[in-house]
Amino acid sequence: MAHAQSHTKRIWNVFWILSAITIVEVILGIYKPGVLHLSSFLGTSPLNWIFIILTLAKAYGITWAFMHMEGEKKWFRRSVVWTAVFLICYLVTLLLIEGDYLHSTLAPLVRW
């Protein structure tokens, strides 16, 4: 019975951590501080970078907790997590490049 209780406690801990990260994302998305939203850093706003980093942290936490990665061999964990992080970063890079291209191409034609 103690084994089931430890998993229940662990699930609740993961729930609260992921909820806190999500609440921070929602608050930042609602208020959009001008310092973070209207400036530019590495091709996009710092607010976007905060969202990207928090989303990667949530993905890592979900993978670690619910795919039971802590019990696997070190190199298997690394191969799963690093591959996912690389592919997500690659996707984000492509989306930012394409989004910037579309904005610069369509901005003169469309009234935003």
Side-chain angles (χ1 to χ4, degrees), residues 24-77:
V24 168
E25 287 178 333
V26 169
I27 289 171
L28 286 173
I30 290 172
Y31 289 112
K32 290 185 186 177
V35 173
L36 298 174
H37 179 59
L38 300 175
S39 58
S40 181
F41 177 72
L42 293 175
T44 188
S45 71
L47 186 62
N48 284 345
W49 285 114
I50 291 171
F51 286 142
I52 291 166
I53 291 166
L54 290 176
T55 302
L56 284 173
K58 285 195 312 187
Y60 181 80
I62 290 167
T63 303
W64 187 262
F66 297 118
M67 291 178 67
H68 307 289
M69 283 291 149
E70 70 274 2
E72 298 294 339
K73 301 268 186 197
K74 180 169 86 170
W75 284 103
F76 179 69
R77 286 192 314 241

Side-chain angles (χ1 to χ4, degrees), residues 90-106:
Y90 183 64
L91 174 67
V92 166
T93 302
L94 291 178
L95 289 173
L96 289 172
I97 290 169
E98 290 297 319
D100 183 52
Y101 169 75
L102 284 174
H103 178 60
S104 64
T105 304
L106 296 177

